[in-house]
mmCIF file of all heavy atoms in Angstrom:
data_model
loop_
_atom_site.group_PDB
_atom_site.id
_atom_site.type_symbol
_atom_site.label_atom_id
_atom_site.label_comp_id
_atom_site.label_asym_id
_atom_site.label_seq_id
_atom_site.Cartn_x
_atom_site.Cartn_y
_atom_site.Cartn_z
ATOM 1 N N THR A 147 14.238 -12.527 -58.792
ATOM 2 C CA THR A 147 13.057 -13.140 -58.205
ATOM 3 C C THR A 147 13.319 -14.648 -57.976
ATOM 4 O O THR A 147 13.659 -15.370 -58.915
ATOM 5 C CB THR A 147 11.836 -12.992 -59.097
ATOM 6 O OG1 THR A 147 11.532 -11.592 -59.160
ATOM 7 C CG2 THR A 147 10.644 -13.737 -58.540
ATOM 8 N N ALA A 148 13.163 -15.090 -56.748
ATOM 9 C CA ALA A 148 13.450 -16.459 -56.370
ATOM 10 C C ALA A 148 13.162 -16.670 -54.878
ATOM 11 O O ALA A 148 12.959 -15.717 -54.130
ATOM 12 C CB ALA A 148 14.926 -16.813 -56.618
ATOM 13 N N VAL A 149 13.181 -17.935 -54.479
ATOM 14 C CA VAL A 149 13.209 -18.267 -53.077
ATOM 15 C C VAL A 149 14.700 -18.279 -52.652
ATOM 16 O O VAL A 149 15.498 -18.965 -53.315
ATOM 17 C CB VAL A 149 12.562 -19.617 -52.757
ATOM 18 C CG1 VAL A 149 12.690 -19.926 -51.275
ATOM 19 C CG2 VAL A 149 11.105 -19.582 -53.187
ATOM 20 N N TYR A 150 15.019 -17.556 -51.610
ATOM 21 C CA TYR A 150 16.390 -17.434 -51.168
ATOM 22 C C TYR A 150 16.571 -18.317 -49.910
ATOM 23 O O TYR A 150 15.819 -18.277 -48.950
ATOM 24 C CB TYR A 150 16.752 -16.001 -50.832
ATOM 25 C CG TYR A 150 17.022 -15.195 -52.062
ATOM 26 C CD1 TYR A 150 15.975 -14.867 -52.962
ATOM 27 C CD2 TYR A 150 18.305 -14.836 -52.437
ATOM 28 C CE1 TYR A 150 16.194 -14.155 -54.110
ATOM 29 C CE2 TYR A 150 18.564 -14.150 -53.589
ATOM 30 C CZ TYR A 150 17.480 -13.772 -54.441
ATOM 31 O OH TYR A 150 17.733 -13.083 -55.605
ATOM 32 N N TYR A 151 17.653 -19.154 -49.962
ATOM 33 C CA TYR A 151 17.970 -20.078 -48.903
ATOM 34 C C TYR A 151 19.260 -19.756 -48.246
ATOM 35 O O TYR A 151 20.262 -19.497 -48.908
ATOM 36 C CB TYR A 151 18.020 -21.496 -49.441
ATOM 37 C CG TYR A 151 16.745 -22.049 -50.025
ATOM 38 C CD1 TYR A 151 16.462 -21.864 -51.389
ATOM 39 C CD2 TYR A 151 15.816 -22.718 -49.257
ATOM 40 C CE1 TYR A 151 15.281 -22.345 -51.924
ATOM 41 C CE2 TYR A 151 14.617 -23.199 -49.775
ATOM 42 C CZ TYR A 151 14.378 -23.014 -51.124
ATOM 43 O OH TYR A 151 13.194 -23.479 -51.669
ATOM 44 N N CYS A 152 19.295 -19.890 -46.944
ATOM 45 C CA CYS A 152 20.494 -19.777 -46.138
ATOM 46 C C CYS A 152 20.957 -21.228 -45.859
ATOM 47 O O CYS A 152 20.172 -22.109 -45.698
ATOM 48 C CB CYS A 152 20.127 -19.067 -44.856
ATOM 49 S SG CYS A 152 21.376 -19.025 -43.612
ATOM 50 N N ALA A 153 22.282 -21.410 -45.811
ATOM 51 C CA ALA A 153 22.810 -22.731 -45.571
ATOM 52 C C ALA A 153 24.135 -22.651 -44.776
ATOM 53 O O ALA A 153 24.911 -21.699 -44.923
ATOM 54 C CB ALA A 153 23.066 -23.449 -46.916
ATOM 55 N N ALA A 154 24.366 -23.728 -44.003
ATOM 56 C CA ALA A 154 25.604 -23.784 -43.209
ATOM 57 C C ALA A 154 26.449 -24.940 -43.693
ATOM 58 O O ALA A 154 25.919 -25.981 -44.057
ATOM 59 C CB ALA A 154 25.251 -24.015 -41.728
ATOM 60 N N ALA A 155 27.789 -24.769 -43.700
ATOM 61 C CA ALA A 155 28.675 -25.723 -44.369
ATOM 62 C C ALA A 155 29.795 -26.208 -43.483
ATOM 63 O O ALA A 155 30.827 -26.669 -44.053
ATOM 64 C CB ALA A 155 29.226 -25.098 -45.627
ATOM 65 N N GLY A 156 29.697 -26.104 -42.175
ATOM 66 C CA GLY A 156 30.821 -26.578 -41.373
ATOM 67 C C GLY A 156 32.076 -25.770 -41.668
ATOM 68 O O GLY A 156 32.060 -24.552 -41.762
ATOM 69 N N SER A 157 33.170 -26.424 -41.898
ATOM 70 C CA SER A 157 34.423 -25.771 -42.092
ATOM 71 C C SER A 157 34.616 -25.246 -43.509
ATOM 72 O O SER A 157 35.502 -24.493 -43.838
ATOM 73 C CB SER A 157 35.628 -26.718 -41.783
ATOM 74 O OG SER A 157 35.543 -27.870 -42.636
ATOM 75 N N TYR A 158 33.701 -25.633 -44.411
ATOM 76 C CA TYR A 158 33.790 -25.207 -45.828
ATOM 77 C C TYR A 158 33.104 -23.864 -46.009
ATOM 78 O O TYR A 158 32.093 -23.586 -45.335
ATOM 79 C CB TYR A 158 33.126 -26.292 -46.695
ATOM 80 C CG TYR A 158 32.934 -25.908 -48.140
ATOM 81 C CD1 TYR A 158 34.001 -26.040 -49.033
ATOM 82 C CD2 TYR A 158 31.749 -25.448 -48.605
ATOM 83 C CE1 TYR A 158 33.847 -25.678 -50.377
ATOM 84 C CE2 TYR A 158 31.563 -25.092 -49.938
ATOM 85 C CZ TYR A 158 32.636 -25.226 -50.828
ATOM 86 O OH TYR A 158 32.492 -24.860 -52.119
ATOM 87 N N TYR A 159 33.610 -23.109 -46.959
ATOM 88 C CA TYR A 159 32.818 -21.987 -47.469
ATOM 89 C C TYR A 159 33.133 -21.910 -48.958
ATOM 90 O O TYR A 159 34.269 -22.091 -49.378
ATOM 91 C CB TYR A 159 33.060 -20.688 -46.736
ATOM 92 C CG TYR A 159 34.273 -19.901 -47.195
ATOM 93 C CD1 TYR A 159 34.155 -18.812 -48.018
ATOM 94 C CD2 TYR A 159 35.559 -20.254 -46.725
ATOM 95 C CE1 TYR A 159 35.274 -18.074 -48.430
ATOM 96 C CE2 TYR A 159 36.665 -19.509 -47.124
ATOM 97 C CZ TYR A 159 36.521 -18.428 -47.997
ATOM 98 O OH TYR A 159 37.617 -17.747 -48.348
ATOM 99 N N GLY A 160 32.107 -21.705 -49.746
ATOM 100 C CA GLY A 160 32.301 -21.683 -51.184
ATOM 101 C C GLY A 160 31.003 -21.871 -51.920
ATOM 102 O O GLY A 160 29.938 -21.778 -51.321
ATOM 103 N N SER A 161 31.093 -22.191 -53.192
ATOM 104 C CA SER A 161 29.891 -22.239 -54.065
ATOM 105 C C SER A 161 29.343 -23.638 -54.325
ATOM 106 O O SER A 161 28.322 -23.760 -54.995
ATOM 107 C CB SER A 161 30.248 -21.622 -55.413
ATOM 108 O OG SER A 161 31.299 -22.350 -56.048
ATOM 109 N N MET A 162 29.944 -24.642 -53.713
ATOM 110 C CA MET A 162 29.504 -26.000 -54.021
ATOM 111 C C MET A 162 28.326 -26.358 -53.141
ATOM 112 O O MET A 162 28.435 -26.593 -51.925
ATOM 113 C CB MET A 162 30.650 -26.982 -53.799
ATOM 114 C CG MET A 162 31.794 -26.758 -54.772
ATOM 115 S SD MET A 162 33.196 -27.849 -54.430
ATOM 116 C CE MET A 162 32.512 -29.440 -54.847
ATOM 117 N N ARG A 163 27.185 -26.473 -53.741
ATOM 118 C CA ARG A 163 25.930 -26.717 -53.011
ATOM 119 C C ARG A 163 26.000 -27.983 -52.164
ATOM 120 O O ARG A 163 25.502 -28.039 -51.054
ATOM 121 C CB ARG A 163 24.757 -26.784 -53.979
ATOM 122 C CG ARG A 163 23.403 -26.877 -53.376
ATOM 123 C CD ARG A 163 22.331 -26.818 -54.447
ATOM 124 N NE ARG A 163 22.426 -27.964 -55.321
ATOM 125 C CZ ARG A 163 21.716 -28.115 -56.423
ATOM 126 N NH1 ARG A 163 20.918 -27.164 -56.771
ATOM 127 N NH2 ARG A 163 21.846 -29.196 -57.172
ATOM 128 N N GLU A 164 26.597 -29.032 -52.692
ATOM 129 C CA GLU A 164 26.640 -30.320 -52.016
ATOM 130 C C GLU A 164 27.466 -30.325 -50.739
ATOM 131 O O GLU A 164 27.386 -31.246 -49.916
ATOM 132 C CB GLU A 164 27.142 -31.401 -52.978
ATOM 133 C CG GLU A 164 28.533 -31.204 -53.466
ATOM 134 C CD GLU A 164 28.598 -30.411 -54.780
ATOM 135 O OE1 GLU A 164 27.675 -29.649 -55.059
ATOM 136 O OE2 GLU A 164 29.573 -30.601 -55.502
#
Side-chain angles (χ1 to χ4, degrees):
T147 295
V149 177
Y150 283 72
Y151 297 91
C152 171
S157 59
Y158 172 81
Y159 83 101
S161 61
M162 296 176 68
R163 187 176 64 187
E164 61 269 25

